[in-house]
Amino acid sequence: MDIELKILRYDPENDRKGHWEFYKVEADPDERILDLLHKVKWFEDGTLSFRRSCAHGVCGSDAMVINGENMLACQVLVKEVSNPIKIEPVRGLPVVKDLIVDMEPFMDSYKKVMPYLINDKDPGDRERLQSQEDVEKFEDTTKCILCAACTTSCPVFWTADSYIGPAAIVNAHRFVFDSRDEGSKQRLEILKDVNGAFRCRTAFNCTSACPKGIQVTKAIEDVKRETLLNN
Amino acid sequence: MMETRTDWGRREPPLEGSNFELYGWFFMRISGLLLVLLAVTHMFIMHVFNDTLNLDYEFVAARWDTPYWRTFDWLLLTLSLLHGTNGVRVVLHDNISDLSIRKLALGALYSTSLVFFILGTYVIVAFVRQA
Ligand code: HEM
Ligand code: SF4
Ligand code: FES
C-alpha cells in the first residue's frame, strides 16, 4: 500500500524553525514505522536524521511522536496507525536535528535519583536473597529502557523543564522498593523536592506512552505514598 | 521548534528537608475527601431541597442560629479556599516559567484568597439576627 509520511524536519545549520516535509513510500501493512523511515533515508532523502539501534524495542533510542502520540518507531506497525502518518520529535527536549533530541537533561534527571544498588553490607559468600513477594514490589519498573517516551509526554514536563519527570521516578521506584537496597531515604529526600514526585499531577500520559507497558503513574503514586509514610 | 540549549536541565540542587510539597499533596487528598461531604451536603441543601432564588433572610438567619451550621459553613469556606488556592498555586507553578510574572500571579492569588477568607469569616462570626 501507498503511505504518505509527514515528517517534522529541522536542520540546525539552515532552519530557524522546524518545517514539514512530505514523502510517499510503498509499504506492507505489517512493516514497522521504523522501516518507513529507513526507506526514506536509504532510497529518497539521506539527510533525514533519527536514532535507532536495536530495532526491536530494547535499546530505547527511537521514541518519537507518531500521529500525536509517543511511541517507539520500531514497535509500531503501519496497520496500527492511520495513513497519512505524521512524525515529530518528542516534545520538551531540545531538538538537535530532525527527530533527534538532546537526551542530556533527561539523563541528568535519571542520574539524580542514584539508579544503582546502594548497600555497603558484605553479603558474604552468596547472593543477596529476596523472596518472590519482594521481587513483585518493583518488578514492573525494572522493565524501563530509558526511551523518554513517558517524560516527554508529560504536560508538566513540557512547561516546567525543572520537573525531574516520570522516567527518573520509575527508576527511583525500582530501587526504593527493592528489599536489598538501603538508599531509599536519600532517594525519597531528592524526590520530595518541588521538582520531584509531587510535581506530578496524575495526568496518566506517561502510562499511555510507555512502550514497555509499565504502570508509570502507579509507580509515581507508590513513591509519593512511601514518602508520606516512611520519610 | 526549540533551539538547542546546552544549559537545559542543569537543575538546582534539591531543597534539603522541605516537606511542603509532600504535605501539600496530602492536604489536597484529605481536603478533597472532606469537600465531598461538605460541598455535596451544601449543594443539596441550597440547590436541590431548596432553591437559591427563593431563599430569604429568615432561612439564612435560622440556620445561623445554631453554631453547627456556622461551623459547617466556615469549614466549607476555609477548606475550599485552601484547596482551591493550593490547586491554582500548582497550576501557576506549572504554567508560568517567567519567575517575576509567576510571583506577580501568585501574589494576586494569595491576596484575593485572603480577602475572601477575611470577608467570609467576618460574616460568619459577626452575623447577628436583626429582629
Ligand atoms: C468536591 C470535592 C473535591 C474533591 C474530591 C477534590 C479533589 C482534588 C484532588 C485530589 C486534587 C489534586 C489532584 C492531583 O494533585 O493529582 C484536586 C485539585 C484541585 N482542586 Fe479539588 N476537589 C474537590 C473540590 C474542589 C473545589 C470546591 C475547588 C475550588 C474551590 C477545587 C479546586 C481544585 C483545583 C484548582 C485543583 C488543582 C487542579 C490541578 O492540579 O490540575 N476542588 N482536587
Ligand atoms: S518508563 Fe517506559 S516510557 Fe518511560 S523511559 Fe522507561 S520504558 Fe520509556
Ligand atoms: S530501535 Fe531500539 S528501541 Fe527502537
Side-chain angles (χ1 to χ4, degrees):
Chain A
M1 60 198 279
D2 271 333
I3 303 288
E4 227 177 294
L5 281 178
K6 186 179 171 195
I7 304 180
L8 188 58
R9 305 276 316 256
Y10 171 68
D11 172 4
E13 277 159 24
N14 296 309
D15 294 346
R16 266 187 49 242
K17 291 172 69 189
H19 63 276
W20 294 99
E21 297 241 357
F22 300 84
Y23 304 93
K24 265 202 168 54
V25 290
E26 222 345 87
D28 195 83
D30 285 327
E31 281 187 289
R32 302 161 304 177
I33 306 301
L34 181 64
D35 298 316
L36 305 185
L37 292 173
H38 282 152
K39 284 180 197 198
V40 171
K41 184 168 179 72
W42 292 342
F43 306 112
E44 270 193 59
D45 183 351
T47 64
L48 177 67
S49 304
F50 55 90
R51 283 198 190 98
R52 68 100 176 84
S53 178
C54 70
H56 290 83
V58 180
C59 70
S61 49
D62 62 344
M64 50 189 76
V65 185
I66 299 170
N67 283 352
E69 286 177 51
N70 283 12
M71 304 178 190
L72 293 180
C74 65
Q75 221 179 251
V76 181
L77 305 182
V78 169
K79 65 180 176 195
E80 292 170 332
V81 296
S82 62
N83 184 12
I85 303 172
K86 201 170 91 179
I87 303 181
E88 303 156 74
V90 289
R91 303 178 180 125
L93 289 170
V95 177
V96 177
K97 185 168 190 257
D98 297 341
L99 302 174
I100 299 180
V101 297
D102 179 6
M103 294 286 278
E104 223 36 65
F106 176 80
M107 291 300 168
D108 280 349
S109 293
Y110 171 60
K111 288 176 208 157
K112 271 234 164 80
V113 302
M114 303 181 285
Y116 38 80
L117 190 87
I118 299 175
N119 188 339
D120 292 333
K121 288 203 201 87
D122 181 2
D125 291 337
R126 54 188 311 179
E127 313 89 325
R128 295 178 201 273
L129 294 179
Q130 199 166 38
S131 71
Q132 191 56 40
E133 293 82 66
D134 282 342
V135 178
E136 276 159 17
K137 288 189 190 129
F138 67 95
E139 198 168 24
D140 195 40
T141 45
T142 62
K143 297 185 292 191
C144 177
I145 58 173
L146 294 173
C147 65
C150 54
T151 296
T152 59
S153 75
C154 173
V156 178
F157 184 74
W158 294 337
T159 49
D161 59 16
S162 51
Y163 174 39
I164 199 161
I169 305 172
V170 160
N171 286 280
H173 180 283
R174 185 252 168 274
F175 290 100
V176 166
F177 292 93
D178 185 334
S179 60
R180 300 164 297 185
D181 184 88
E182 296 188 334
S184 300
K185 271 236 154 352
Q186 282 163 276
R187 291 196 191 88
L188 295 180
E189 192 62 38
I190 291 161
L191 288 174
K192 77 180 185 192
D193 174 55
V194 236
N195 292 317
F198 295 103
R199 200 84 210 228
C200 162
R201 312 288 177 231
T202 334
F204 276 96
N205 279 17
C206 50
T207 303
S208 322
C210 180
K212 299 286 106 184
I214 297 173
Q215 298 299 305
V216 182
T217 313
K218 178 178 179 296
I220 299 174
E221 291 303 305
D222 285 348
V223 167
K224 287 172 178 169
R225 263 175 229 170
E226 186 66 14
T227 314
L228 180 69
L229 302 173
N230 290 323
N231 159 59
Chain B
M1 181 81 41
M2 253 168 290
E3 282 173 36
T4 307
R5 281 165 56 189
T6 46
D7 63 337
W8 217 89
R10 302 278 177 262
R11 299 181 165 92
E12 295 292 312
L15 297 167
E16 286 296 326
S18 167
N19 280 331
F20 187 76
E21 298 298 328
L22 163 65
Y23 292 135
W25 171 82
F26 191 53
F27 171 76
M28 289 308 265
R29 272 121 192 103
I30 299 300
S31 57
L33 273 175
L34 291 171
L35 279 171
V36 172
L37 292 175
L38 297 172
V40 171
T41 309
H42 168 85
M43 203 195 70
F44 270 91
I45 293 176
M46 294 300 178
H47 305 274
V48 180
F49 302 139
N50 295 290
D51 185 343
T52 29
L53 290 176
N54 300 322
L55 291 190
D56 54 11
Y57 181 83
E58 189 47 39
F59 179 86
V60 177
R63 269 163 55 89
W64 281 2
D65 277 344
T66 74
Y68 303 108
W69 283 115
R70 290 202 197 213
T71 313
F72 180 98
D73 283 353
W74 187 80
L75 264 181
L76 179 60
L77 168 81
T78 309
L79 279 177
S80 51
L81 267 178
L82 282 173
H83 179 99
T85 306
N86 190 45
V88 176
R89 174 189 76 91
V90 149
V91 170
L92 295 180
H93 268 277
D94 285 353
N95 294 291
I96 306 182
S97 45
D98 185 309
L99 279 184
S100 46
I101 299 180
R102 188 196 288 177
K103 277 211 179 103
L104 216 68
L106 286 171
L109 170 70
Y110 297 151
S111 28
T112 320
S113 302
L114 190 69
V115 168
F116 279 123
F117 176 72
I118 292 172
L119 276 179
T121 303
Y122 176 72
V123 171
I124 294 173
V125 172
F127 177 84
V128 181
R129 179 199 272 269
Q130 309 288 303

